[in-house]
Amino acid sequence: MRVNWDYIKLTLLSITVIGLYGFADHRSKNKKVSDVSIKFLGDNNLYLTETSVNKLLIQNYGALKNRTKEQLALNTIEEVILSNEMVKNAQVYLTINGELISKIVQRKPIGRVEGISKFYLDDLGGRMPLSKHHSARVPIITGKITGKSLEDAYTILNYINEDDFLRKNVIGIHIEEEGKYQLKFRLENFVVNLGGVENLNEKFKNFMAFYAKASKDKSLEKYTTVSLEFNNQVVCTKI
């Protein structure tokens, strides 16, 4: 009887590979977390600290260091981090060295609502709680706060943040009523009656033309209100 050595070699090789894989898998599952690292991504990292994230994880998941990989549920850890209202996005993974890394993107406030309730409006239009760690330098939103007026304030803030001059100089949005919004500037005594959020590009284009001329004439301090409510017009009220 002729022995098929190639078949035997292949079988032995397969058994060896399976054994090594099983050993490596067992070793991997039982490898313990050597360290826990919290990394904040981007430049908006003022509202949540590494200490507060670690405390959140311990309270909701327990201590992570020295746990085995088999005892970890990375998706659950991500959900715990995402439950914090300052977090926009989170990614958790374990390195081959046993380091558990959490990469976190914090939410970005673009306006601060000062009403019966106080909170930030973030860059996605959502409500974001104030932080005990940092107060954002963003325009203050006051007046008649409603769901619709906040949507409009978000639209106005998005436009303002796209323009370098407006972003640096607009410090407040006052809501007189839905569809009637007033802007306050950092260095000027006048207020700008914006009206509604329609035709913002045209309104601000007219305002910038007025501002450039009034700055040149050194007459900005003479005005109390600048109205952009009327089609293609800038109507000013003097002191």
Side-chain angles (χ1 to χ4, degrees), residues 80-100:
V80 169
I81 296 173
L82 287 168
S83 69
N84 187 289
E85 292 183 292
M86 297 297 179
V87 177
K88 184 176 185 177
N89 194 19
Q91 180 187 12
V92 180
Y93 61 93
L94 189 66
T95 70
I96 58 174
N97 296 322
E99 184 181 11
L100 185 70

Side-chain angles (χ1 to χ4, degrees), residues 176-222:
E176 295 183 293
E177 58 184 73
E178 289 183 11
K180 293 191 71 175
Y181 304 101
Q182 197 174 71
L183 304 183
K184 297 179 181 179
F185 280 70
R186 188 178 306 280
L187 299 177
E188 311 305 338
N189 293 322
F190 61 76
V191 294
V192 175
N193 290 330
L194 186 63
V197 295
E198 67 284 347
N199 303 320
L200 286 181
N201 192 55
E202 190 67 30
K203 288 178 179 179
F204 281 112
K205 180 180 177 181
N206 292 335
F207 172 75
M208 295 304 291
F210 152 78
Y211 193 92
K213 184 177 185 305
S215 294
K216 185 177 180 179
D217 297 340
K218 298 183 179 180
S219 60
L220 287 172
E221 68 276 4
K222 295 180 180 179

Side-chain angles (χ1 to χ4, degrees), residues 3 12 96 114 123 142 148 166 168 183-184 189 227:
V3 178
L12 289 173
I96 58 174
E114 290 289 333
D123 60 344
T142 57
K148 178 61 170 64
L166 295 174
K168 290 178 180 177
L183 304 183
K184 297 179 181 179
N189 293 322
S227 179

Side-chain angles (χ1 to χ4, degrees), residues 142-199:
T142 57
K144 297 181 179 179
I145 308 297
T146 66
K148 178 61 170 64
S149 65
L150 281 182
E151 288 179 13
D152 287 349
Y154 173 67
T155 299
I156 296 168
L157 287 167
N158 270 339
Y159 189 96
I160 288 172
N161 285 329
E162 291 297 316
D163 183 275
D164 189 59
F165 172 82
L166 295 174
R167 185 177 64 255
K168 290 178 180 177
N169 288 281
V170 175
I171 61 170
I173 299 175
H174 182 70
I175 304 168
E176 295 183 293
E177 58 184 73
E178 289 183 11
K180 293 191 71 175
Y181 304 101
Q182 197 174 71
L183 304 183
K184 297 179 181 179
F185 280 70
R186 188 178 306 280
L187 299 177
E188 311 305 338
N189 293 322
F190 61 76
V191 294
V192 175
N193 290 330
L194 186 63
V197 295
E198 67 284 347
N199 303 320

